[in-house]
Structure formats: structure tokens, C-alpha cells
Amino acid sequence: MHGFATRIYEAMDEILDKPCEHQVISTHGGALTFVAAAFLRLPIDALQHMRLRAEPGGITVLREDDYFHNRTLVELNSALLQ
């Protein structure tokens, strides 16, 4: 699992290094924990017992503010159509 998480963290580093205002990342539920944790800059070793779950088609919103550059998990697994 640590190797899987490391690969996702590396991919997130590459994605976040791109100068874009908005980015869309499509993933499966097993990777969601590590995608969000990498964005939030949580150490991999701190995720030993943490998992985020999402239904197919769920939308998770991650945001970095423009001033302090704080990162937030704004929404987890919101439905596209309600």
C-alpha cells in the first residue's frame, strides 16, 4: 500500500506543478484517499488507518486559497445530480 501511495503522491506533485486555475482528476475509490492526502500534504505514514470512501460518479472538491495557500477538502463524494 505504501508503494501505491508513493506513486499517487508523485503523480499529484506533477499535476499540482502545472500552472492551472482548475484541474480535474478522475480516479477510482481506492486512490481517492491518497489523492486527497497528497493535495492536503499529509504524510503517507499518517494515513495508516484512514480511508476516504466514495460512490461511483461522486465528486470531491479540493481547494487552495489564493492568499495563505491553505488547502481544504471542501466536498467529499457529492452527487453530480441530486
Side-chain angles (χ1 to χ4, degrees):
M1 190 62 71
H2 193 277
F4 179 60
T6 299
R7 289 192 304 277
I8 293 171
Y9 270 57
E10 289 169 356
M12 285 297 293
D13 285 342
E14 289 181 30
I15 291 166
L16 296 172
D17 280 345
K18 294 182 179 10
C20 303
E21 184 175 353
H22 301 284
Q23 296 184 8
V24 176
I25 300 168
S26 177
T27 186
H28 59 82
L32 176 61
T33 295
F34 304 118
V35 168
F39 178 81
L40 296 170
R41 297 184 179 138
L42 300 175
I44 291 174
D45 293 333
L47 307 176
Q48 200 167 16
H49 301 288
M50 185 188 114
R51 291 297 173 264
L52 299 176
R53 297 190 49 104
E55 296 298 319
I59 297 173
T60 296
V61 178
L62 304 166
R63 185 170 294 137
E64 180 176 356
D65 79 69
D66 293 333
Y67 189 73
F68 291 110
H69 300 282
N70 293 322
R71 293 180 175 193
T72 305
L73 192 158
V74 178
E75 294 179 42
L76 176 65
N77 194 38
S78 294
L80 182 59
L81 301 173
Q82 295 188 21

